[in-house]
């Protein structure tokens, strides 16, 4: 066979692979499991990716760094050197970064920060480093006054709309943790009126209020949920916690046809809270067992016997 024919066959073979390969790469399971780097004591530390791989997590939620009295987050990922190093390490280990967290707002008020837009812009740019599409914004540091009708509520709605539009323009979503029930969250989202703002749902909030998280999730609806923190307050690991029926939650999410990331934040053994590998490894393994298609198929077969 002459060289021109060999070359032609090689070119056709490469084109065939390139035609199929992107669709294969885009195919992802319905549920994937990650863990929060700051709760694993690895906030913006390079070792977070190896740790995530060691505990068999699919990804890690990277935090923006502490805020405190600083003007901006203590965020090393503004620097090109660290951007390249962190992205290269994550890619080499096959660990995804589905979201970037602004945990500083657990203690700092989103309402009292005059430079709130600068902080959000910093987060949106950091998301670009990893191709993350979800930002986590907890509103716990803003107190409770804003949850009632009044000036603080109006200002919260105004600010959330503003930063939501920033996120939407960048092709991203800001997931807010409000600690409100589903009906109040729906009302808030309607007021904010921005596709760039959704709820970052935390199972702990429903359980702590004596609500059924599976019912709350169904009421909230698939399209209002950006991501889920799938853990509770520290007591025992998820597999030993009688406060929650994770299989019931999976069935609710299946029925809603929701897909996305389940991120472990807490659910640590209160008697051994600093045992990162033990606590997070157990929680990741349990979520993967419950939310895997194979496990569901096996359970259905057993139930039908």
């Amino acid at each position: 066979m002459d060289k021109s024919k060999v070359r032609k066959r090689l070119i056709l073979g490469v084109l065939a692979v390139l035609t199929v390969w992107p669709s294969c790469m885009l195919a992802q399971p319905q549920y994937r499991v990650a863990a929060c780097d700051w709760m694993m004591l690895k906030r913006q530390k390079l070792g977070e990716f190896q740790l995530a791989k060691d505990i068999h997590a699919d990804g890690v939620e990277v935090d923006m760094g502490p805020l405190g009295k600083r003007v901006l987050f203590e965020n090393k990922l503004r620097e090109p050197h660290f951007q390249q190093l962190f992205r290269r390490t994550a890619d080499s280990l096959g660990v995804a970064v589905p979201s970037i967290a602004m945990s500083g707002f657990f203690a700092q008020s989103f309402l009292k920060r005059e430079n709130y837009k600068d902080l959000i812009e910093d987060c949106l740019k950091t998301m670009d480093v990893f191709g993350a599409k979800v930002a986590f914004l907890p509103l716990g540091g803003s107190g409770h006054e804003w949850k009632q009708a009044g000036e603080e509520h109006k200002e919260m709605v105004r600010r959330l709309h503003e930063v939501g539009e920033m996120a939407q323009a960048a092709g991203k979503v800001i997931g807010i943790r409000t600690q409100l029930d589903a009906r109040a969250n729906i009302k808030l989202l309607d007021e904010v009126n921005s596709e760039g703002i959704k709820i970052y749902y935390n199972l702990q909030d429903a359980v702590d209020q004596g609500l059924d998280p599976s019912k709350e999730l169904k009421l909230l609806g698939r399209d209002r949920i950006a991501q889920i923190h799938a853990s509770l307050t520290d007591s025992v690991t998820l597999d030993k916690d009688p406060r929650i029926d994770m299989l019931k939650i999976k069935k609710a999410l299946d029925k809603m046809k929701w897909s996305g990331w389940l991120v472990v934040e807490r659910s640590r053994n209160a008697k051994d809270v600093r045992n990162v590998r033990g606590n997070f490894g157990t929680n990741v393994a349990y979520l993967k067992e419950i939310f895997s298609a194979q496990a569901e198929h096996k359970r259905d077969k057993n139930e039908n016997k």
Side-chain angles (χ1 to χ4, degrees):
M1 185 180 296
D2 61 47
K3 292 182 178 180
S4 63
K5 289 184 178 180
V6 173
R7 188 180 299 112
K8 185 177 180 180
R9 287 192 177 185
L10 285 171
I11 291 171
L12 289 173
V14 170
L15 288 174
V17 170
L18 290 175
T19 301
V20 177
W21 180 72
S23 61
C24 295
M25 291 300 291
L26 289 172
Q28 297 290 354
Q30 183 177 356
Y31 304 107
R32 302 173 77 188
V33 180
C36 301
D37 72 348
W38 71 96
M39 292 304 299
M40 294 195 297
L41 311 179
K42 291 287 185 182
R43 175 191 271 164
Q44 287 202 8
K45 294 181 179 179
L46 199 60
E48 65 186 278
F49 302 113
Q50 184 62 58
L51 177 57
K53 186 175 180 65
D54 290 346
I55 63 172
H56 305 294
D58 303 306
V60 61
E61 184 168 88
V62 174
D63 190 54
M64 285 292 292
L67 189 51
K69 296 181 180 179
R70 303 168 184 82
V71 176
L72 293 173
F73 296 105
E74 190 178 295
N75 176 24
K76 67 175 67 172
L77 291 168
R78 290 189 210 100
E79 301 176 32
H81 165 71
F82 286 113
Q83 291 176 353
Q84 294 169 14
L85 182 59
F86 273 62
R87 180 60 188 263
R88 186 168 62 245
T89 302
D91 288 348
S92 69
L93 293 170
V95 175
V97 178
S99 46
I100 301 293
M102 294 175 276
S103 72
F105 282 111
F106 275 118
Q108 295 289 312
S109 174
F110 182 67
L111 286 172
K112 294 180 180 178
R113 281 279 176 168
E114 292 184 7
N115 68 331
Y116 65 96
K117 287 191 289 185
D118 294 333
L119 292 165
I120 295 296
E121 185 64 31
D122 191 15
C123 181
L124 295 175
K125 288 180 178 177
T126 302
M127 293 166 74
D128 288 335
V129 175
F130 302 101
K133 295 299 181 184
V134 175
F136 171 50
L137 173 60
L139 300 178
S142 299
H144 297 284
E145 188 69 25
W146 70 268
K147 299 176 184 178
Q148 312 299 325
E151 291 306 311
E152 283 200 10
H153 181 80
K154 290 179 182 177
E155 179 62 10
M156 179 64 80
V157 168
R158 187 191 71 79
R159 289 189 176 206
L160 288 176
H161 175 81
E162 197 169 26
V163 300
E165 294 300 283
M166 290 168 59
Q168 185 183 1
K172 302 175 178 67
V173 169
I174 297 172
I176 56 173
R177 181 183 177 186
T178 67
Q179 296 178 302
L180 297 169
D181 65 22
R183 293 187 188 280
N185 274 325
I186 292 170
K187 183 175 183 294
L188 176 62
L189 291 179
D190 287 345
E191 289 180 278
V192 171
N193 189 30
S194 173
E195 293 182 12
I197 296 290
K198 294 188 179 184
I199 299 300
Y200 198 128
Y201 195 81
N202 193 307
L203 300 180
Q204 171 191 326
D205 293 337
V207 172
D208 285 353
Q209 295 174 60
L211 301 172
D212 183 339
S214 62
K215 291 181 179 179
E216 287 286 289
L217 286 164
K218 284 189 282 187
L219 180 58
L220 189 55
R222 177 185 65 190
D223 295 335
R224 298 186 183 96
I225 302 168
Q227 215 157 265
I228 296 172
H229 273 144
S231 53
L232 305 183
T233 49
D234 292 334
S235 174
V236 292
T237 51
L238 282 170
D239 58 315
K240 295 180 175 66
D241 203 324
R243 296 174 294 174
I244 195 162
D245 186 339
M246 202 62 75
L247 179 56
K248 186 179 179 183
I249 289 170
K250 180 193 184 297
K251 288 181 176 179
L253 292 173
D254 284 348
K255 192 171 183 179
M256 293 162 57
K257 293 183 169 50
W258 186 86
S259 64
W261 286 86
L262 308 167
V263 184
V264 179
E265 185 183 19
R266 292 184 179 272
S267 283
R268 299 174 296 182
N269 179 351
K271 296 178 180 178
D272 196 14
V273 292
R274 296 187 72 83
N275 183 358
V276 171
R277 289 176 186 270
N279 288 313
F280 284 87
T282 298
N283 289 330
V284 167
Y286 181 67
L287 287 173
K288 287 198 163 193
E289 177 189 349
I290 292 293
F291 283 86
S292 71
Q294 294 88 343
E296 180 67 20
H297 178 67
K298 183 178 179 181
R299 280 189 295 270
D300 288 342
K301 283 182 68 176
N302 290 337
E303 288 173 4
N304 292 329
K305 283 182 179 179

